[in-house]
Amino acid sequence: MSDSAIPRHVAIIMDGNGRWAQARGLPRKAGHRAGAESVREAVDACLDLGIPFITLYAFSSENWSRPEKEVAALMKLLEQFLKTKGKEFMQKNVRLRTIGQIERLPASCRAQIAQVEQDTAQNTALTVILALSYGSREEITASTRRIAEKISTGELSPEEISKETLAQHLDTAEFPDPDLLIRTSGEFRLSNFLLWQLSYAEFFVSEKNWPDFNKGDFHEAVADYSRRHRRFGGL
Ligand code: FPP
């Protein structure tokens, strides 16, 4: 946790793609496509500001229950996104990582992810973490299971379990906690996103739908964050 004016890690719930499309009489997938453009804006804003980590909630565990057609469109978009980002991320010195139950994604997406992660592994300007088939309760449950396995084999004892033990068994073990959470489309909900990791984060809610959220809006969210005095429960 830092008290710096610039967040080290920004997390975003990219909400409102469907409403953006509906307002224009377009299919929902057009909203998701426009949303992928906003991802580029957010990545560029992080690079401008020197923010080293960004986590994007691209597909939640709950999103599997959407109509099959929409899930398929999102998976196709993800694949296209990864194909084009490979090159762009190399040019911009950006590293790709993912969190979530990646094993539930189609094999073609998993292959693309593995390729881009491998290609960008040495990049240092910014780490883009895509949350895919991600749910925080699922993540905490899996983490607990891994700890329990270590206890059953004697690798760990119950007395040794600390907050750090739990954090080290989450998908996010190697990343700092987010300092700032942005949610678009005027909703004030966490939606099973990084429940553990957002404990001390500042929240910024934008009325704009995600496809309308541009670089300037991102800068505004960070400026708002910078004005707040962070006390972490102290004085
Ligand atoms: C929420 O809008 C958004 C999603 C469920 C998916 C997020 C995906 C993207 C921004 C597109 C692509 C990103 C990548 C990384 C490929 P919603 O559909 O819930 O909107 P609504 O609440 O208005 O219906």
Side-chain angles (χ1 to χ4, degrees):
M1 287 183 281
S2 73
D3 202 8
S4 132
I6 295 291
R8 197 144 89 92
H9 186 171
V10 177
I12 309 187
I13 301 178
M14 310 182 286
D15 197 11
N17 292 350
R19 275 162 284 173
W20 182 91
Q22 195 180 14
R24 286 159 182 77
L26 297 168
R28 293 178 59 83
K29 68 176 180 189
H32 296 314
R33 209 177 306 125
E37 282 301 306
S38 289
V39 169
R40 187 167 43 79
E41 299 257 336
V43 165
D44 287 347
C46 286
L47 290 167
D48 288 348
L49 291 161
I51 294 169
F53 294 91
I54 182 170
T55 298
L56 299 160
Y57 206 3
F59 194 85
S60 72
S61 304
E62 290 78 13
N63 286 153
W64 290 113
S65 65
R66 291 197 176 192
E68 212 175 299
K69 223 176 98 184
E70 182 166 346
V71 171
L74 277 165
M75 292 301 143
K76 200 172 153 202
L77 185 63
L78 174 64
E79 219 183 308
Q80 283 167 353
F81 175 88
L82 291 163
K83 267 186 192 145
T84 55
K85 290 299 149 186
K87 203 166 158 203
E88 187 185 322
F89 282 7
M90 286 313 290
Q91 280 162 359
K92 294 179 176 171
N93 193 19
V94 172
R95 181 171 72 135
L96 179 83
R97 299 305 310 273
T98 63
I99 55 172
Q101 296 174 313
I102 299 304
E103 64 280 4
R104 294 186 70 186
L105 300 176
S108 49
C109 286
R110 294 200 311 266
Q112 282 289 335
I113 290 168
Q115 185 67 54
V116 181
E117 276 191 333
Q118 193 188 326
D119 292 347
T120 62
Q122 305 304 322
N123 292 349
T124 53
L126 168 67
T127 299
V128 173
I129 303 151
L130 290 185
L132 294 166
S133 189
Y134 176 84
S136 194
R137 288 183 170 182
E138 286 78 357
E139 180 193 30
I140 292 170
T141 305
S143 158
T144 307
R145 199 176 298 125
R146 283 196 287 271
I147 293 170
E149 278 162 9
K150 287 187 182 173
I151 289 176
S152 72
T153 60
E155 200 181 320
L156 258 183
S157 68
E159 303 71 44
E160 283 176 312
I161 298 175
S162 63
K163 287 182 280 188
E164 288 71 30
T165 315
L166 219 122
Q168 282 159 12
H169 288 79
L170 296 172
D171 294 0
T172 50
E174 60 187 286
F175 314 125
D177 284 342
D179 305 294
L180 169 65
L181 171 73
I182 299 174
R183 180 163 188 153
T184 55
S185 86
E187 306 283 356
F188 290 75
R189 276 193 301 279
L190 269 183
S191 301
N192 203 14
F193 187 47
L194 301 173
L195 303 179
W196 173 280
Q197 299 88 338
L198 290 170
S199 292
Y200 294 100
E202 298 286 333
F203 284 23
F204 182 89
V205 174
S206 167
E207 287 302 319
K208 285 193 175 183
N209 288 321
W210 175 248
D212 287 328
F213 194 84
N214 59 31
K215 232 174 162 182
D217 298 312
F218 191 100
H219 279 263
E220 193 188 315
V222 171
D224 184 84
Y225 166 90
S226 305
R227 284 192 293 272
R228 299 185 201 174
H229 177 60
R230 303 179 76 206
R231 291 189 301 246
F232 301 113
L235 291 178

